Amino acid sequence: MATRNTLHVEVVTAEHELYNGEAEIVDAPGADGQLGILPEHAPLLALLGPGPLQIKLHGNDSIFFVSGGFLEVSNDRVTILADTAEQAEEIDEARAQAARRQAEERLQDAQSRTERAELQAALMRALSRLKVVEIARRSGRVR
Amino acid sequence: MPSTREIRQRIRSVKNTAKITKAMQMVASSKMRRAQERVEQARPFADQIRELVSRLATAASNGNEDLAEDLVLLKQRPVRNIGIVLISPDRGLCGALPSNINRQAALTARNESRRLSEQGGSPNVEYVAVGRKGRDFVVRSELDMIAEFTNYGDRPGIGDATAIAQVAVDAFLKGEVDVVYLVYAKFVNTVTQTPVTVQLLPVQPPEKKEGDEPEGKASEYIYEPDEQTIFKALLPRYVDILVYQALLEAVASQQSAQMVAMKNATDNANDLIQDLTLTYNKVRQAAITTQILEVVAGAEAL
């Protein structure tokens, strides 16, 4: 296969397709840390955690929040199967802040381990959403 | 012979009914188009996840016993009890569709029970009823029901599917049922909806299609964090997706069945209006003739 300097990226959720196009870099939230994918990456199958997903193309970035899912790379094709995904512009910052505060407060007096784990996950989601908004703002896309 | 006034009233009332059924037909046809679009939109995700699962199954069957052992949802076990997830319409006025689906469910239950009885078992059949028509059927027939989900609406989300799948998976993991079938109406085209039964659990890995990537490629993948973790997370998602797709198809089927049923109703109403108009004219003419005869007879008598 001829050397290409872009990746073909598809972002899909169960309900619809969010992105289908080229990219130079994909920065995805792996379960154990951010994953940066460049063209000619080895075949990869990764679990995603909640976090920001950035698709960079000639300084024209798309930023999403994904709550989890799978990422597959093969032959310069990146497929992201997200449980849920939101575009940075769609995120309600105030709601994410509220969710974060609520999770933090409840975490203080959480009793059982499952409850703690659930609240931790909720907190992670809220923080990731806020981070997505933050990244988007820094790149001058939102508000 | 009814009087002209009575016939006029009937015509008026049938016309009103025709107007309503016509409106319902239009609504159903636009909803059907949207439901079809949603089936289309869900397809890329479903295709991708199907491919991943079939790759996993290959890896699990190629000697990786740890992996196979871990994946409870894949494991076949002796069947004692059967679960049926029955996806039916929430609303009626859609022709024979609900009864066709219910019959399909009953048929599946009967065939499977008979097959197991021949092998010396005495299986229970447990239902998960989705949609009011299916729920009513299960209740009316006094069958065992694990859970019911009604009013999923015209636009079921992945959340609805996850909830349904969760119930089925729980029952399967707890050993209440050893096999779960999904019964729903597959959307073939506008006039055809076929009730189908597919096995939901244990997960049957999708068949590899011809022209897919060659064998052995699976092992070249890097897994992050590792194979087990990914596949453990993947299987429940796959089950969700199967249920989600069935739900979407069921909605599309329901809308198209309703559209056809309402079209027939409108046509029948129009036929009826034509017949009634004919009768009305005859009655009117007869009345006029009688009156003229009376007038003439009266004039002659003078």
Side-chain angles (χ1 to χ4, degrees):
Chain A
M1 191 174 166
T3 310
R4 290 172 58 187
N5 47 13
T6 57
L7 295 151
H8 185 81
V9 186
E10 281 176 45
V11 181
V12 290
T13 68
E15 286 167 4
H16 53 275
E17 189 175 80
L18 274 127
Y19 186 94
N20 189 346
E22 302 298 307
E24 292 167 305
I25 307 175
V26 175
D27 192 18
D32 296 337
Q34 282 304 114
L35 297 165
I37 315 283
L38 291 168
E40 296 192 55
H41 195 288
L44 169 75
L45 191 54
L47 197 61
L48 299 182
L53 165 69
Q54 286 189 77
I55 298 167
K56 297 180 186 172
L57 180 67
H58 311 307
N60 193 357
D61 297 0
S62 304
I63 305 156
F64 301 91
F65 163 77
V66 295
S67 63
F70 307 92
L71 173 133
E72 190 198 9
V73 187
S74 91
N75 275 336
D76 280 347
R77 288 180 68 87
V78 181
T79 314
I80 290 143
L81 302 173
D83 292 343
T84 60
E86 293 159 31
Q87 229 148 358
E89 291 83 347
E90 292 170 0
I91 295 174
D92 186 339
E93 196 184 353
R95 220 182 109 192
Q97 288 281 14
R100 179 187 140 189
R101 266 197 304 279
Q102 197 186 23
E104 278 171 346
E105 279 165 21
R106 289 214 193 142
L107 210 50
Q108 298 284 330
D109 35 43
Q111 300 299 329
S112 70
R113 272 185 58 185
T114 46
E115 197 182 347
R116 284 190 72 84
E118 268 167 30
L119 288 168
Q120 288 280 10
L123 184 58
M124 273 299 293
R125 278 198 301 276
L127 287 175
S128 304
R129 279 207 175 86
L130 292 173
K131 200 164 149 199
V132 171
V133 173
E134 176 70 15
I135 294 168
R137 189 176 294 139
R138 229 181 303 142
S139 62
R141 281 169 59 87
V142 180
R143 290 172 275 252
Chain B
M1 217 43 156
S3 74
T4 50
R5 208 165 58 104
E6 276 166 19
I7 299 177
R8 247 195 342 256
Q9 270 172 357
R10 281 249 4 239
I11 292 179
R12 207 182 308 134
S13 104
V14 174
K15 268 188 182 156
N16 282 335
T17 310
K19 259 184 225 157
I20 294 168
T21 55
K22 181 86 190 166
M24 287 181 80
Q25 177 195 335
M26 310 271 246
V27 171
S29 96
S30 92
K31 279 187 179 167
M32 179 194 74
R33 263 199 303 280
R34 249 171 296 154
Q36 266 176 288
E37 274 166 28
R38 293 162 62 78
V39 173
E40 288 299 320
Q41 283 173 342
R43 201 154 281 158
F45 189 92
D47 288 346
Q48 295 288 350
I49 205 159
R50 194 168 295 137
E51 207 190 305
L52 287 181
V53 171
S54 95
R55 193 175 303 146
L56 134 83
T58 321
S61 61
N62 285 353
N64 195 338
E65 276 169 18
D66 284 358
L67 191 56
E69 194 60 32
D70 251 2
L71 300 169
V72 194
L73 293 185
L74 268 179
K75 228 185 301 173
Q76 306 275 351
R77 56 187 193 220
V79 177
R80 284 185 315 258
N81 297 316
I82 304 167
I84 292 183
V85 179
L86 172 59
I87 300 183
S88 66
D90 252 335
R91 264 167 299 169
L93 291 181
C94 48
L97 186 72
S99 51
N100 285 345
I101 299 171
N102 292 340
R103 191 180 319 129
Q104 173 79 11
L107 204 68
T108 305
R110 198 163 61 228
N111 288 346
E112 288 303 305
S113 305
R114 187 178 301 155
R115 201 166 57 81
L116 291 168
S117 305
E118 279 166 11
Q119 294 164 7
S122 56
N124 282 328
V125 182
E126 303 274 349
Y127 281 86
V128 175
V130 184
R132 271 219 337 261
K133 294 283 154 188
R135 198 265 320 263
D136 293 350
F137 164 74
V138 172
V139 171
R140 204 168 48 232
S141 318
E142 298 178 341
L143 303 164
D144 294 334
M145 185 156 65
I146 304 177
E148 62 172 74
F149 296 88
T150 49
N151 291 324
Y152 54 81
D154 299 329
R155 314 184 30 163
I158 183 75
D160 298 304
T162 310
I164 296 163
Q166 194 60 49
V167 169
V169 169
D170 282 350
F172 181 74
L173 292 181
K174 273 191 263 167
E176 287 169 10
V177 295
D178 307 292
V179 63
V180 179
Y181 294 101
L182 192 59
V183 177
Y184 67 99
K186 193 173 174 58
F187 180 86
V188 182
N189 57 42
T190 317
V191 285
T192 321
Q193 307 89 33
T194 326
V196 291
T197 304
V198 296
Q199 185 176 327
L200 187 65
L201 292 167
V203 172
Q204 289 196 310
E207 302 271 317
K208 281 230 165 189
K209 281 188 220 120
E210 291 287 316
D212 268 3
E213 42 198 274
E215 293 287 318
K217 205 166 166 287
S219 52
E220 289 170 27
Y221 271 82
I222 304 169
Y223 293 95
E224 174 73 39
D226 58 63
E227 234 170 336
Q228 260 99 335
T229 318
I230 290 184
F231 290 153
K232 255 192 202 164
L234 187 61
L235 280 180
R237 286 311 278 171
Y238 181 61
V239 176
D240 291 351
I241 290 303
L242 285 179
V243 175
Y244 181 58
Q245 281 211 308
L247 263 182
L248 292 181
E249 293 248 358
V251 170
S253 298
Q254 185 203 334
Q255 298 300 351
S256 70
Q258 180 162 65
M259 188 184 89
V260 173
M262 288 302 112
K263 185 177 184 315
N264 289 339
T266 312
D267 291 350
N268 287 344
N270 286 335
D271 285 352
L272 197 58
I273 290 169
Q274 227 168 25
D275 286 353
L276 284 172
T277 314
L278 222 61
T279 321
Y280 170 72
N281 286 339
K282 268 190 206 145
V283 172
R284 193 173 59 97
Q285 274 173 4
I288 291 169
T289 315
T290 330
Q291 275 171 14
I292 291 175
L293 280 177
E294 277 166 7
V295 171
V296 173
E300 268 172 9
L302 281 175

